[in-house]
Amino acid sequence: MRANAKPIGGRLLTPSYKVILLIAAIGVATIIWRFAAGLGATTALSDGYPWGLWIAFDVVVGTALACGGYAIAILLYVFNRGQYHPLIRPAILTSALGYSLAGLAVAIDVGRPWLLWKVPVMIWRWNVNSVLLEVAVCIMAYVVVLWIELTPALLDRWSQSGQEQLRRRAERIRPSLDRALIWITALGILLPTMHQSSLGTLMLLSGPKLNAIWNTPFLPMLFLITSVCMGYAAVVFETTFSSLAFGLPKDLRILGSIQRVAAIGAAVVVGFRFVDLGLRGVMGQVFQLDLPAILFWIENVLFVLPVLMVAQKRVVSLGSLFRSAVLLALGGTLYRFDTFLVGFNPGRGWHYFPSVPEILVSVGLVAVELAAYIAIVKTFPILSGVRETSPTAVD
Amino acid sequence: MASDRRALLKGLAAAAAAAALPAVPALARQTPSAPSDAVGLLYDATRCIGCRACVVACKEANDLPADTTTYGDGLYDAPAGLNERTKTVIQLYKEGNEQSFVKKQCMHCIDPACAAGCMLGALKKREHGIVSWDASRCVGCRYCQTACPFGVPQFEWSKKAPKIVKCELCRDRLAEGKQPACTDVCPRQAVIFGKREDLLAEAHRRLASEPDQYVKTVYGEHELGGTQVLYLSHVPFEKLGFRFDSTDAVPKVQHLIQHGVYQGFLVPAALYAVLGTVVFRNRGKGSVDGSLTDEEK
Ligand code: SF4
Ligand code: SF4
Ligand code: SF4
């Protein structure tokens, strides 16, 4: 009765799944190499560019794309839009996986990972002024929150398992879990609001090294809004993917309204950035013919196109929904890359382009996420609208 | 539903008000000034002959290996810039017949950006305002490197247990009652050690007595909030690689925002209370775990 969500079931080790596993395995092997050989031998990082692909992509972009759970939770619980219900569980799952892997990426990136445990534990040593500390502690807490938010799926599986003992245990835990989940859910909205905005605040410490186009005191607000937009875009991706891969019915109406919310966010960002450039008197910077200016315009085009598509009601088919989601996600991704890498100027003589091992690790982590997602939705009741007969999907 | 939204908006307004309150003292944040016992260096580019005795002495005092990567054969310790083996370096600026040497090392900022972001306080202003590094608190995140406006902290990329390498003003030697290795060996007193206020007075004395010799600034007196290492030069400072001349300390903007929002943790707490209430009221209309309620089916 309780859950309309059901496991997908079906064979796990399909040929395409094996390809994903292979890519993941290459990534894991590269991670082992990174620890064996050190950061200098495996990355293109330098004293000028101490942060590269792993921070900019896996953490800063990765967690924003993992904001689906956050974005849907806002609609669902704060604005009480019940129609988004079927989307929350898969969204929370992608968020949990995305954030967990971002945490792993941090452990791979830092030079002295064996001391990381001190960050959440040694409270008496906390530098309370450190924005990075806030981001780190917030993200760690949010990973825990996300996995707790997924426990109802585990209980549902126990209930459905047919084993009397498991079923009874599930029923015993459920009432108190339901009560706790209210506060956990609230935490699940508070924490991303804090750390997604603070990811923007982070780069303000680069001060004059950060290009004026991105160097605004409104960086936290812009990061927050774009993270919500990217979260919605990721939900559209994910729904498209599961409808293609598992043959699930998709509710275009729901996806369409989600896309409208994201488009409003994108429009606000674009409008606000121009006002902000004008107020700070640096509008001239975006009319120069240099790389930062060109990338600034590409960011804005990527944000404006989906807004136009939505405004002209062109987002009616799954294909056009998907296209506008891709544009939004790319816009947000580029905006983050530019703030962390392109807009960051450590001075003359420094260059950065990710090394092959860096790329293999990033791609590998995405593959790990995908593999885990598929395995989990096949085993646990995450997706709604599952057909009674299990489809043999992802072949 | 409408009433819930009203409750939410009211709550958000309260949260915004709570955000504005702590922002008032935060906006009045005093620019930190140097500690009264602050020590530092004064480097006078007009006196430096580029002998690099300081570079060698610094390596000896800090047990740093030679950097033989710049010139072939592995014969010369000739670092081109600060790096994981080099805490100080002498660089040459030359344009036409204008030329100058310049010594680079940590500036020991009065409001150091490197320390502002460091999670557990591995980099921190400690005794005499010296910005020093504590291995037991460093996770190797390299936020200090993205933050430092002078490109000072270096990371041991080649090591498996990498450390942050930067000048700590020879704090071990100071503790033994000695002066820093670089000032100790300088044959021309181009770089001298002392209390910051004495060095500043000396710098201004030189500016006043030989005004034609110098650019009319003591770099570090006010730049980026002030530094404990001060510079005099006969060529413009930007030619010597000092990229920034703003007097604002680098952490200022970030501090204003972070303190405005997070001071006393009032705003997050208020927001959490509001969110909890709203989610609590919306419960039942769609249970929190994402299953459908009967009414929705
Ligand atoms: S110069 Fe750089 S490393 Fe030295 S105190 Fe200032 S910010 Fe820190
Ligand atoms: S690398 Fe170490 S010293 Fe630098 S900010 Fe990170 S923890 Fe602090
Ligand atoms: S004070 Fe010591 S560590 Fe710093 S540059 Fe001079 S010799 Fe090197």
Side-chain angles (χ1 to χ4, degrees):
Chain A
M1 191 67 249
R2 194 152 227 292
N4 170 293
K6 287 200 179 68
I8 298 286
R11 199 158 57 92
L12 187 57
L13 281 178
T14 60
S16 51
Y17 196 79
K18 284 180 191 155
V19 173
I20 298 173
L21 284 184
L22 179 68
I23 298 172
I26 295 172
V28 171
T30 317
I31 292 169
I32 294 169
W33 179 29
R34 169 262 174 267
F35 281 109
L39 282 166
T42 44
T43 69
L45 297 171
S46 62
D47 292 309
Y49 283 98
W51 286 354
L53 187 68
W54 293 340
I55 295 297
F57 179 73
D58 296 67
V59 180
V60 181
V61 172
T63 59
L65 286 174
C67 271
Y70 168 51
I72 299 294
I74 295 178
L75 279 183
L76 191 54
Y77 302 123
V78 178
F79 292 101
N80 203 22
R81 300 296 166 84
Q83 70 266 33
Y84 297 107
H85 246 139
L87 298 177
I88 188 73
R89 253 194 210 175
I92 296 277
L93 174 60
T94 0
S95 298
L97 290 170
Y99 268 90
S100 302
L101 288 172
L104 180 61
V106 169
I108 298 166
D109 183 84
V110 298
R112 305 161 63 83
W114 59 91
L115 291 183
L116 272 179
W117 63 271
K118 290 187 174 182
V119 175
V121 173
M122 292 200 168
I123 296 175
W124 62 96
R125 283 192 169 178
W126 277 4
N127 168 11
V128 291
N129 288 326
S130 169
V131 178
L132 187 63
L133 177 79
E134 186 222 320
V135 171
V137 174
C138 239
I139 288 184
M140 288 181 198
Y142 188 48
V143 170
V144 176
V145 163
L146 283 165
W147 288 108
I148 296 179
E149 284 187 296
L150 275 177
T151 46
L154 179 68
L155 294 192
D156 284 352
R157 185 176 154 80
W158 284 357
S159 298
Q160 294 162 2
S161 70
Q163 268 179 278
E164 187 55 22
Q165 204 186 349
L166 281 182
R167 198 191 57 76
R168 254 188 290 131
R169 190 185 304 164
E171 296 317 316
R172 223 183 14 255
I173 301 174
R174 206 183 293 272
S176 41
L177 181 67
D178 273 353
R179 242 171 293 129
L181 273 179
I182 291 166
W183 296 99
I184 296 281
T185 305
L187 211 50
I189 299 175
L190 176 71
L191 292 174
T193 311
M194 286 169 65
H195 66 246
Q196 283 299 333
S197 57
S198 292
L199 278 174
T201 322
L202 219 48
M203 283 313 279
L204 287 177
L205 197 57
S206 297
K209 289 198 284 188
L210 185 60
N211 188 303
I213 296 178
W214 293 277
N215 195 347
T216 160
F218 291 98
L219 212 50
M221 192 194 80
L222 291 168
F223 262 64
L224 183 63
I225 302 178
T226 49
S227 77
V228 177
C229 294
M230 291 167 79
Y232 286 125
V235 171
V236 175
F237 276 165
E238 186 191 325
T239 316
T240 315
F241 167 79
S242 53
S243 79
L244 291 179
F246 309 125
L248 297 182
K250 60 261 166 191
D251 189 338
L252 287 187
R253 219 165 22 94
I254 291 188
L255 291 186
S257 52
I258 285 196
Q259 200 65 2
R260 260 194 305 283
V261 179
I264 293 171
V268 169
V269 167
V270 172
F272 191 88
R273 287 184 76 188
F274 280 96
V275 174
D276 172 55
L277 286 171
L279 286 178
R280 288 186 292 121
V282 289
M283 191 68 94
Q285 299 253 5
V286 303
F287 293 107
Q288 282 163 352
L289 206 70
D290 56 8
L291 185 67
I294 294 169
L295 288 168
F296 168 82
W297 286 103
I298 298 178
E299 286 171 18
N300 282 290
V301 169
L302 288 169
F303 277 138
V304 165
L305 283 178
V307 176
L308 293 179
M309 286 169 77
V310 169
Q312 299 175 342
K313 307 222 181 330
R314 290 242 298 274
V315 188
V316 284
S317 66
L318 191 56
S320 57
L321 262 174
F322 187 75
R323 273 193 296 282
S324 70
V326 170
L327 290 169
L328 267 180
L330 282 179
T333 301
L334 187 61
Y335 175 61
R336 279 165 164 66
F337 262 105
D338 289 346
T339 313
F340 273 76
L341 291 174
V342 179
F344 178 76
N345 177 4
R348 256 178 308 154
W350 295 109
H351 304 282
Y352 172 74
F353 191 84
S355 69
V356 173
E358 280 177 88
I359 295 171
L360 287 180
V361 168
S362 288
V363 174
L365 288 180
V366 174
V368 169
E369 184 173 350
L370 201 57
Y373 180 85
I374 293 172
I376 292 176
V377 296
K378 285 192 171 183
T379 337
F380 289 92
I382 302 288
L383 294 171
S384 301
V386 178
R387 285 197 307 245
E388 282 311 316
T389 51
S390 312
T392 47
V394 204
D395 268 309
Chain B
M1 196 155 135
S3 75
D4 281 332
R5 207 161 321 144
R6 224 172 299 132
L8 172 74
L9 290 178
K10 250 191 259 158
L12 287 181
L21 277 182
V24 177
L27 282 174
R29 172 181 184 259
Q30 293 283 309
T31 312
S33 47
S36 55
D37 63 344
V39 295
L41 307 174
L42 170 62
Y43 172 79
D44 187 334
T46 64
R47 298 190 177 191
C48 177
I49 50 168
C51 69
R52 299 173 58 258
C54 54
V55 180
V56 177
C58 177
K59 292 225 163 183
E60 261 175 33
N62 290 287
D63 271 331
L64 292 165
D67 173 14
T68 52
T69 52
T70 313
Y71 298 102
D73 305 338
L75 286 177
Y76 301 101
D77 175 22
L82 298 180
N83 57 41
E84 63 180 272
R85 301 166 171 189
T86 310
K87 292 186 180 182
T88 189
V89 69
I90 293 290
Q91 290 173 328
L92 171 69
Y93 156 73
K94 195 168 168 49
E95 201 174 284
N97 45 20
E98 191 180 55
Q99 81 163 41
S100 175
F101 294 104
V102 60
K103 181 177 184 296
K104 296 276 165 76
Q105 77 292 304
C106 175
M107 302 290 285
H108 298 281
C109 303
I110 289 172
D111 189 359
C114 59
C118 185
M119 291 192 282
L120 299 173
L123 281 172
K124 202 173 178 175
K125 250 180 134 50
R126 295 194 169 88
E127 68 292 1
H128 302 296
I130 295 171
V131 178
S132 59
W133 181 79
D134 175 348
S136 73
R137 300 175 179 222
C138 173
V139 299
C141 67
R142 310 184 295 278
Y143 193 27
C144 50
Q145 296 192 294
T146 71
C148 173
F150 299 104
V152 167
Q154 307 291 306
F155 186 74
E156 288 183 319
W157 297 100
S158 63
K159 303 268 172 67
K160 276 167 217 161
K163 299 194 188 98
I164 291 291
V165 176
K166 75 178 268 303
C167 156
E168 297 176 286
L169 217 61
C170 283
R171 57 175 171 153
D172 297 342
R173 288 176 57 99
L174 296 187
E176 292 166 13
K178 293 189 231 161
Q179 60 166 316
C182 56
T183 58
D184 201 13
V185 298
C186 181
R188 302 256 305 169
Q189 265 97 57
V191 59
I192 57 174
F193 169 79
K195 289 186 71 172
R196 183 179 189 262
E197 52 188 33
D198 298 342
L199 295 173
L200 195 56
E202 169 63 14
H204 280 290
R205 195 194 59 74
R206 289 186 200 174
L207 279 189
S209 65
E210 291 162 291
D212 307 335
Q213 280 265 16
Y214 295 105
V215 176
K216 283 177 190 30
T217 321
V218 182
Y219 191 96
E221 181 175 8
H222 303 295
E223 282 73 12
L224 300 177
T227 55
Q228 290 178 207
V229 176
L230 302 166
Y231 281 76
L232 286 172
S233 165
H234 52 292
V235 301
F237 286 105
E238 68 263 25
K239 309 254 184 198
L240 298 183
F242 293 96
R243 296 166 66 200
F244 310 115
D245 58 8
S246 153
T247 54
D248 284 338
V250 172
K252 189 173 153 192
V253 179
Q254 196 195 45
H255 266 284
L256 284 179
I257 294 173
Q258 197 71 359
H259 281 226
V261 181
Y262 289 104
Q263 207 173 51
F265 231 67
L266 273 180
V267 178
L271 185 59
Y272 184 49
V274 172
L275 286 170
T277 315
V278 175
V279 175
F280 183 74
R281 276 149 144 264
N282 287 348
R283 151 207 62 134
K285 292 166 201 157
S287 83
V288 178
D289 70 356
S291 333
L292 291 178
T293 54
D294 295 340
E295 144 200 9
E296 275 166 330
K297 288 174 197 165

